[in-house]
Amino acid sequence: MTVKIAVLKETRPGELRVAMVPSVIDRLMRLGAQVAIQSGAGDAVKLPDAAFKNATCVVDAAQLVRDADIVLAVQPPAAETVRAMKTGALLISFIYANKEPALVDLLRQKKITCFAMERVPRISRAQTMDALSSQATLAGYYAALLGATHLARIFPRMTTAVGSLRPATVLVMGLGVAGLQALATARRLGAIVEGYDVRPETKGEAASLGARFVDTGVNATGEGGYARELTPEEKSKVAKVLTAHIQQADVIITTASVPGRPAPKLIGKAQVDGMKAGAVIVDLAADGGGNCEYTKPGETIQIGQVTIVAPLNVPSLLGEHASELYAKNLLNLLELLIHDGKIAPDWNDEVLAKTALTGAGSAKRVGVAKPAA
Ligand code: NAD
């Protein structure tokens, strides 16, 4: 028996990643899979069709998916591609069901079992499948570099023949996966680093990376380890403490998000207006609207002497490594699904039951919250 896997070329604007890389295909073949990719799928990450020696290349998406048992992608696929899929096949990609109600309906109509990568539970056993984390790690690293390159100063202390240069101060707001990686990267580059988050457990994590923690006295730990929305009183208490740190930073990297809500505004206009001349804000929450009131998602703007950089889909900017890590996340999930050359999911497995958005397993789930759409 062979499981037929199809890998789509991404079509959304700005999406450079590809869901599969050649080294991972070798491992899929050992699981009993046969892989076909859409022609040009890896072009944007310097993986031409010729690099996929172990896969068949197909030009047309509909033809590619027609007899596939499993379709892999990074972003939600186009509706016409889903329509061309076999009834009852599997789809694995990011979906964000609340933004894609029509697509979710279509998946249900076609009886597609869809594993939405943003639903992988944040538990230790699922870490190797956690694409939110693998992609956020890269984004955090890149944010520190963006901060460094937009600053007209250097990060480390440097002693020269004509005197010493003082190190930069980098404040990272939001210490999830991306924020901690941003802290670690800025510190490796020699900056003095400060971290802030509403979840108090991040204090120890920041300290272990050599950062000072900005303590505001507000605990906003919410469900499942994620942050909750703050009350207006809490917001004003936090703003007071933070203003001093915001206004002495050379670079601020913001990464805060609350699941299912627009990004919280952590830096107000008045706070930016009081920042040091030449300071830089890198707003990693731009996809969700941004953490700074001035942020224009997708743009780099100048407000007085302050530069605000707000790139969209940052993992895509490191597309080669982002694709490699994402492909490995998919492989680890596929290892739970494919046994002896057959698709045989164990729906009692919490990881599969919680990741399934539509299809067989989502109907069988026990004690698992209903999918968002
Ligand atoms: P995220 O992208 O959802 O949010 C980034 C950070 O923003 C979070 O640390 C959050 O607390 C913070 N934040 C939200 N509102 C804020 C505000 N108003 N001010 C300041 N900070 C604010 O985070 P993530 O990286 O996806 O991680 C989410 C959770 O999942 C964390 O608790 C993390 O430790 C956990 N996690 C667990 C595992 C695992 O155990 N396998 C893996 C990855 C993440």
Side-chain angles (χ1 to χ4, degrees):
M1 293 281 286
T2 319
V3 175
K4 290 185 181 166
I5 297 181
V7 182
L8 289 172
K9 177 175 167 64
E10 298 300 318
T11 53
R12 298 215 170 183
E15 183 51 77
L16 305 178
R17 292 169 289 179
V18 55
M20 194 41 61
V21 298
S23 58
V24 175
I25 294 181
D26 287 338
R27 295 178 57 189
L28 286 176
M29 288 164 79
R30 270 180 254 144
L31 280 183
Q34 180 186 309
V35 180
I37 64 155
Q38 191 176 354
S39 185
D43 281 355
V45 294
K46 314 287 182 280
L47 285 172
D49 291 354
F52 290 89
K53 291 192 178 60
N54 40 12
T56 317
C57 280
V58 178
V59 174
D60 180 58
Q63 193 191 332
L64 172 80
V65 300
R66 193 162 294 139
D67 67 344
D69 302 304
I70 303 177
V71 174
L72 304 180
V74 180
Q75 298 287 348
E80 61 265 29
T81 305
V82 174
R83 272 188 217 105
M85 284 174 69
K86 244 182 7 186
T87 300
L90 268 61
L91 168 67
I92 313 182
S93 73
F94 282 111
I95 299 286
Y96 289 102
N98 54 346
K99 294 188 196 146
E100 302 285 343
L103 185 69
V104 175
D105 280 348
L106 181 60
L107 292 167
R108 293 216 167 99
Q109 279 164 31
K110 293 272 306 180
K111 302 204 177 341
I112 305 280
T113 297
C114 173
F115 292 95
M117 290 305 283
E118 71 279 4
R119 296 175 61 88
V120 170
R122 312 304 280 276
I123 55 172
S124 311
R125 191 169 68 80
Q127 267 177 10
T128 59
M129 300 157 225
D130 185 350
L132 283 180
S133 287
S134 71
Q135 306 301 295
T137 301
L138 296 177
Y141 159 84
Y142 200 61
L145 301 189
L146 282 176
T149 52
H150 280 84
L151 193 66
R153 305 166 59 91
I154 60 168
F155 269 18
R157 178 184 304 283
M158 193 178 282
T159 307
T160 78
V162 282
S164 289
L165 296 172
R166 287 221 314 272
T169 299
V170 175
L171 168 64
V172 179
M173 304 175 80
L175 301 177
V177 178
L180 291 173
Q181 187 57 239
L183 263 190
T185 305
R187 167 104 167 136
R188 280 201 293 270
L189 289 173
I192 293 170
V193 284
E194 294 191 327
Y196 161 70
D197 197 293
V198 283
R199 291 181 299 116
E201 61 269 33
T202 57
K203 185 174 185 173
E205 292 167 335
S208 72
L209 294 170
R212 284 197 298 248
F213 187 75
V214 179
D215 206 337
T216 60
V218 172
N219 177 351
T221 310
E223 257 179 69
Y226 287 99
R228 65 171 169 82
E229 180 88 346
L230 300 185
T231 64
E233 295 73 38
E234 286 172 329
K235 278 183 187 158
S236 96
K237 184 175 174 193
V238 165
K240 220 171 176 177
V241 179
L242 283 177
T243 300
H245 292 265
I246 288 170
Q247 297 184 342
Q248 68 168 27
D250 295 297
V251 172
I252 302 178
I253 297 168
T254 64
T255 78
S257 77
V258 178
R261 306 193 63 90
K265 296 291 179 235
L266 267 52
I267 306 179
K269 290 186 174 174
Q271 287 168 315
V272 176
D273 297 341
M275 282 176 73
K276 276 164 77 166
V280 176
I281 297 173
V282 180
D283 194 339
L284 268 197
D287 290 291
N291 289 146
C292 172
E293 278 180 2
Y294 277 123
T295 291
K296 290 212 164 73
E299 292 183 32
T300 296
I301 57 169
Q302 200 73 37
I303 301 293
Q305 296 296 314
V306 177
T307 307
I308 304 177
V309 190
L312 296 171
N313 192 357
V314 175
S316 193
L317 302 173
L318 293 170
E320 188 181 334
H321 269 158
S323 300
E324 182 179 329
L325 295 184
Y326 184 71
K328 287 180 176 165
N329 293 140
L330 293 183
L331 169 72
N332 289 310
L333 187 63
L334 288 164
E335 281 177 342
L336 291 186
L337 289 168
I338 303 176
H339 302 283
D340 302 324
K342 278 194 294 224
I343 299 174
D346 170 6
W347 291 116
N348 294 318
D349 182 328
E350 178 191 3
V351 175
L352 293 184
K354 286 188 169 165
T355 308
L357 173 70
T358 63
S362 66
K364 283 190 194 153
R365 65 185 68 202
V366 179
V368 176
K370 252 183 126 243

